[in-house]
Amino acid sequence: MGRIAVIGAGTGAMAAAARLAVAGHRVTVYERTETYGGAVRRFERDGFAFDTGPGLLTLPAVWRDLFVKTGKEPLEDRVELVQVDPSSRHVFADGTRVSLPNASRAGVVAALDEALGAAAGERWGDFLVRAREAWDRTRRPLLEEPLWPNWSVLAEREPYPALAHKRLLRTRRASTLAEVGAWELRDPRLAALLESHALAYGLDPRVTPASAAVLPYMEHAFGVWSVRGGMRELARAVYERCVARRVEFRFGAEVTGVLEKDGRATGVELADGTVAEADFVVAGVAPGTLSRCVRGSAVRGEGEVPPRHGLPSRLTVLLALRGGRPEGTAHRTVVHAPDREAELDALFGTPSGVTSRPTLTVLRPDDPRLVPDADHEAITLTSVVPARSGGSREDYVDLAEKLIAVAERAVPDLRERLLWHEVRTPADIAEATGAEGGAVPPPALAAGEGALLHPANTTALPGLFTVGGWSHPGGGLPHAGMSGALVAGLIVEGPGFRGSQ
């Protein structure tokens, strides 16, 4: 079998490496930093530990499949998965609060009826039925198969079966997520609940296609999970599986060039001048980094999905609190902005993109491995901000204080309990991932003229493949894992590979 050079040790790249090693290839991973995991990192101080990347997991079956296909030990033997319940708690602008049970349609309907009034739950439940149809129509092409050569079919067709809506003597159907909320859910709180799923990925619901209905459906159908010890433990387990399958890792090894011969990728060149020959190169890096590595050749093929611009980033505030986590506390609380339009205008309409009271996600894990003892609590606050190059940590001090103030709606005694806080900015994401401005890619979605599709895993340079959140099927831990499976299939089985069955 062949030699394979993998650029980057993100979760998608490691998923590909493990699968390729099991297929008999000799795999070497070259990572610019001193550790693995990409954006899946951990911050530790004074006995507290925090995820600085994703904090919750959907579609754990993606990672279960990786461990089944690469060895005898299943995923649950390597990490402890915990289904969080409720899946989320929401604090709306008018003060209404609701906790949504995990993976229970009847429970969610009942909770919404009680909190928002009769028929609210029924409207949400009916929406989930339509969202399931969109999921059934897009699951294979967007998750389980290489990007279709005629990808424009996915760009043009709206898979969400929107209801007919009469407006100004015309019958229309929702084409964006915001229109779904306004025309089908007909309650600003339900609309905020729906839109928050898009906003969590840095998507503007006013222009995001209605197909984004699959995002809340995924959580509803497959549940929301945490990993005991933090999501970094999942990255560790994948790394250890790679090592067990004889994947070689070289940390502190920055790839500066992809070697070419006779119109084909033949290896990589490192910053120290070292050359490593390979039969295939798998790049798990951001597009800008890859473009700098490929000299004299276009990475993207003719007719390829166009590049995306204006991607968002994240601002994360890590809070160390005295006093234990109160019993019955929700793992995740979403505090909704009082003025959604102003928030969206600030995020997506101006370069500075700062609003005083943004939508905020508050994570309060029930995990003794993340705190010094039972008399302390670790809380993570996350909000979407524009990707930004050249910004300093001081630029985010005021915004971090605003996030803490917003978090008091979910944690009323926060100020009195606060020991210290740490701010993680887009610059920290850029350092970990190499993405310009700390940009974070969203998952692939159909319709919307292809604005939320991602480039294919194959490239215009034979022998060079791309993996991870910047290529098909896009960002997010489940999608990264699927990209690893797709790349491994394309290399092992060849261009005729059509995905898992």
Side-chain angles (χ1 to χ4, degrees), residues 115-202:
L116 308 186
E122 182 181 0
R123 288 198 297 275
W124 183 261
D126 290 345
F127 157 75
L128 287 176
V129 172
R130 295 189 292 277
R132 176 179 178 173
E133 188 169 337
W135 168 259
D136 289 341
R137 291 173 176 175
T138 61
R139 174 180 58 86
R140 281 199 61 81
L142 289 185
L143 284 181
E144 299 175 0
E145 299 176 345
L147 186 67
W148 293 349
N150 60 334
W151 60 267
S152 59
V153 174
L154 296 174
E156 296 163 359
R157 293 180 181 174
E158 173 53 72
Y160 177 78
L163 298 177
H165 171 73
K166 289 187 177 180
R167 186 182 186 191
L168 299 178
L169 303 180
R170 295 175 58 194
T171 299
R172 301 181 60 186
R173 296 180 185 273
S175 62
T176 69
L177 204 65
E179 289 174 342
V180 172
W183 300 352
E184 299 181 11
L185 298 179
R186 304 192 307 278
D187 183 311
R189 296 164 297 185
L190 287 179
L193 171 59
L194 171 63
E195 293 179 6
S196 67
H197 288 273
L199 191 59
Y201 287 103

Side-chain angles (χ1 to χ4, degrees), residues 7 9 17 19 61 67 81 109 123 134 138 184 205 235 239 252 284 291 322 344 358 362 407 419 436 442 456 498 501:
I7 309 173
R19 291 176 181 271
F67 277 76
L81 294 177
V109 168
R123 288 198 297 275
T138 61
E184 299 181 11
Y239 167 73
S291 295
R322 64 173 63 88
L344 297 179
V362 182
L419 293 170
E436 184 176 358
R498 290 295 177 263
Q501 300 299 321

Side-chain angles (χ1 to χ4, degrees), residues 1-4 20-27 245 280 491-492:
M1 303 298 276
R3 299 163 298 176
I4 297 180
L20 289 166
V22 167
H25 292 283
R26 290 174 289 164
V27 184
R245 298 300 168 260
F280 298 96
I491 292 175
V492 173

Side-chain angles (χ1 to χ4, degrees), residues 358-381:
T359 295
L360 179 68
T361 299
V362 182
L363 296 184
R364 306 179 69 181
D366 182 13
D367 189 344
R369 295 173 61 180
L370 302 179
V371 291
D373 52 50
D375 293 326
H376 293 85
E377 184 179 6
I379 297 180
T380 302
L381 313 179

